[in-house]
Amino acid sequence: MDNDIEIIKPDYELGMKFDFYSIKAKGVDWKNIYKRNCLLLKYDFIEQGSMSDFEYFKVTRARPKFDYYVIKDGIPIGGAEITRCSDGYTDIAYARIEEGYRGCGYGERLIAYVCDELLKDNTIKGVMMDDVSVGRVTSKIGIKLGFYFVDDDILLKENKNYIKNILNK
């Protein structure tokens, strides 16, 4: 496997920088979107004042978009959001590769990396994914990586480390 991308779990500051860079690179008018959302949802609006655009961006967001980012040539091209469920499972709630980079295997590498990282934790029973993708791409990737269906659109990969942990108690 070539090393043309890097997959990282950044700290808060770096995750926000990735998000800010992505929004600026796409030309998104995020300040107007923020103002409209405040009006629609009846949230208090935060004024920018003397804050830099990046500082203002940070205070108008709760957290970085992803828990893991795919970086190519220093540019974020996708990522995955993870949710720890109360039943001991972890869900890859959202995984995305930017449109111009799809079909290159980056999504598969992202999901494989995230699973490997998550399944090192022997308190996690398994990793789940919902497949809402066009053409069932997520299912194809999941099956290739050892997931199986537990429902029509839900895939699971059990954590062998969790099972060993239970047996050794």
Side-chain angles (χ1 to χ4, degrees):
M1 191 178 303
D2 56 339
N3 293 321
D4 60 337
I5 63 166
E6 181 181 13
I7 301 171
I8 62 171
K9 183 178 173 78
D11 62 16
Y12 170 83
E13 189 75 12
L14 185 55
M16 289 301 238
K17 284 180 183 175
F18 287 150
D19 289 353
F20 184 67
Y21 175 85
S22 291
I23 283 177
K24 284 189 65 150
K26 292 175 187 172
V28 174
D29 187 359
W30 60 272
K31 290 180 189 180
N32 254 344
I33 292 169
Y34 167 67
K35 288 177 186 177
R36 280 193 313 241
N37 285 340
C38 287
L39 289 171
L40 288 171
L41 301 171
K42 298 185 184 337
Y43 291 152
D44 290 335
F45 176 75
I46 301 169
E47 294 287 344
Q48 183 170 2
S50 62
M51 285 184 266
S52 69
D53 281 352
F54 177 60
E55 289 301 318
Y56 188 51
F57 178 81
K58 287 193 315 186
V59 299
T60 61
R61 306 238 163 354
R63 61 183 289 279
K65 181 176 182 178
F66 298 120
D67 295 297
Y68 292 87
Y69 286 79
V70 180
I71 308 300
K72 182 172 177 55
D73 301 324
I75 299 169
I77 63 164
E81 182 181 331
I82 309 305
T83 303
R84 184 87 188 241
C85 306
S86 60
D87 60 1
Y89 292 93
T90 298
D91 185 36
I92 299 177
Y94 183 71
R96 183 180 201 295
I97 299 296
E98 294 292 338
E99 198 162 316
Y101 297 94
R102 293 180 189 160
C104 300
Y106 300 141
E108 182 178 334
R109 288 169 60 188
L110 169 64
I111 291 170
Y113 180 87
V114 169
C115 280
D116 288 348
E117 289 298 305
L118 294 172
L119 296 176
K120 288 177 186 175
D121 181 345
N122 65 6
T123 66
I124 293 174
K125 291 180 181 178
V127 176
M128 297 173 55
M129 292 189 300
D130 291 339
D131 187 351
V132 295
S133 63
V134 175
R136 310 264 308 162
V137 173
T138 302
S139 294
K140 292 171 188 169
I141 291 171
I143 296 298
K144 189 173 180 181
L145 296 174
F147 284 78
Y148 62 90
F149 283 98
V150 293
D151 199 347
D152 288 340
D153 297 320
I154 301 173
L155 296 124
L156 171 67
K157 184 171 185 176
E158 294 181 275
N159 187 353
K160 293 178 178 119
N161 293 322
Y162 175 80
I163 295 166
K164 287 178 190 173
N165 184 37
I166 296 300
L167 294 174
N168 290 332
K169 285 188 176 180

